[in-house]
Amino acid sequence: DESPAKSLRSKKDSSIGRSIELVKTGEADAVFSAGNTGAVTAAATLKLRTLEGIDRPAIATVMPSDRGHCIMCDAGANTDCSPEMIKQFGIMASVYAQKILKVANPRVGILSIGEEDAKGNAQTKEAFELLKKTNLNFIGNVEGRDIFAGNVDVVACDGFVGNVVLKTSEGVAKLMNDWIKKAITRNPLRVLAALCLKRAFKEVKAKADPEAHGGAPLLGANGICIIGHGSSSARAVQNGIRVACEEIESKLNESIIESVRENKLAETE
């Protein structure tokens, strides 16, 4: 429950601070941390700074969808965002979708309360206009249900809204899982039927398994940083490190800088 900024000042030898310092000095190529999300974000922002053209780093979360995956950015690093920042989140997440999730031409949408262009608050309306001017495959406003329906590959939003969506989704998934377990164990016949469907249940679980990705990348920091859940298993840590390696090998940050530059040039033309 500590303030991230205060903990960084008072605990300079913490594992979070030391590991990010190793990335800063070049002694490490990436960092994976299952520690406090706010502290990791603050340490990465202060020590690594941001990539050229990026105002603030953002957390990108891979969400399951009916057609594979959808990446939502920001998922909680920045609660108060300008429309320009939301545009940057869309650019960064689009590059991530291409480089890491192997989506050829990611469909980018902005999370709003309706699909119509005029829907949304002042912030999302202005971000809509900014994203419309980019060279992204921008499809306009999307609603929360579109994330899971597979109608969009990248969802741009501020960290407040993104985190609410993420935590609500986790809560609904847990509730449904609990309901199914209770319904199955009510009588022996249902238990027997469930055993016959064991493989089907495993397939469904695998599609929504967050540990397959290991954690959420902190996009926009001038260094590779993966933030894992506090309860990350050994498998989640392994996959988090794997994704970090993929980011390094694909030159993700260099591609983000290039995409930001291209879109700035497009705005001036």
Side-chain angles (χ1 to χ4, degrees):
D1 59 353
E2 287 181 314
S3 160
K6 182 180 177 181
S7 66
L8 287 174
R9 287 194 298 268
S10 61
K11 299 177 180 178
K12 295 183 180 180
D13 272 344
S14 68
S15 59
I16 291 173
R18 289 289 295 274
S19 58
I20 290 177
E21 187 69 32
L22 290 173
V23 175
K24 179 182 177 181
T25 60
E27 294 175 75
D29 293 306
V31 58
F32 172 91
S33 176
N36 181 280
T37 299
V40 176
T41 303
T45 303
L46 293 171
K47 291 177 181 288
L48 302 178
R49 302 300 181 182
T50 59
L51 295 174
E52 177 189 329
I54 298 298
D55 293 330
R56 292 290 298 275
I59 296 170
T61 299
V62 179
M63 309 282 283
S65 83
D66 194 43
R67 297 183 186 178
H69 298 98
C70 172
I71 185 161
M72 182 175 67
C73 188
D74 182 14
N78 307 283
T79 54
D80 297 299
C81 301
S82 67
E84 172 65 24
M85 287 167 65
I86 294 176
K87 182 195 79 173
Q88 292 171 13
F89 300 161
I91 293 172
M92 293 193 293
S94 180
V95 173
Y96 186 90
Q98 288 176 305
K99 293 287 184 178
I100 307 302
L101 301 181
K102 306 303 179 186
V103 181
N105 190 25
R107 297 161 296 169
V108 180
I110 182 168
L111 195 58
S112 189
I113 57 171
E115 296 179 356
E116 298 83 0
D117 292 0
K119 288 290 181 73
N121 55 21
Q123 177 201 47
T124 58
K125 286 180 181 178
E126 190 174 339
F128 179 101
E129 294 302 321
L130 293 174
L131 282 163
K132 193 164 68 172
K133 295 174 183 177
T134 66
N135 60 11
L136 303 178
N137 181 16
F138 181 57
I139 62 172
N141 287 331
V142 294
E143 298 178 273
R145 60 189 175 191
D146 293 310
I147 296 172
F148 307 102
N151 298 328
V152 62
D153 301 304
V154 171
V155 170
C157 58
D158 65 55
F160 184 91
V161 170
N163 196 259
V164 170
V165 170
L166 176 63
K167 297 296 172 61
T168 301
S169 302
E170 290 174 346
V172 171
K174 185 180 183 304
L175 177 64
M176 294 301 294
N177 187 56
D178 290 345
W179 279 356
I180 291 169
K181 282 183 178 178
K182 288 176 183 176
I184 287 172
T185 54
R186 277 180 188 155
N187 66 63
L189 284 176
R190 289 183 180 181
V191 173
L192 183 62
L195 288 172
C196 296
L197 293 170
K198 189 175 181 180
R199 184 171 292 181
F201 286 140
K202 279 188 175 181
E203 286 180 11
V204 172
K205 185 178 180 181
K207 287 183 178 180
D209 184 11
E211 292 196 345
H213 306 282
L218 183 65
L219 301 180
N222 190 20
I224 302 299
C225 183
I226 306 290
I227 302 174
H229 198 278
S231 60
S232 293
S233 66
R235 177 170 169 266
V237 175
Q238 177 193 29
N239 283 322
I241 294 170
R242 173 185 56 78
V243 171
C245 291
E246 289 176 2
E247 289 188 26
I248 296 164
E249 291 165 359
S250 67
K251 299 186 184 299
L252 177 71
N253 281 349
E254 290 87 340
S255 297
I256 288 175
I257 292 170
E258 184 181 348
S259 184
V260 171
R261 283 175 180 169
E262 287 174 356
N263 280 292
K264 280 195 174 180
L265 287 172
E267 287 176 10
T268 58
E269 290 178 357

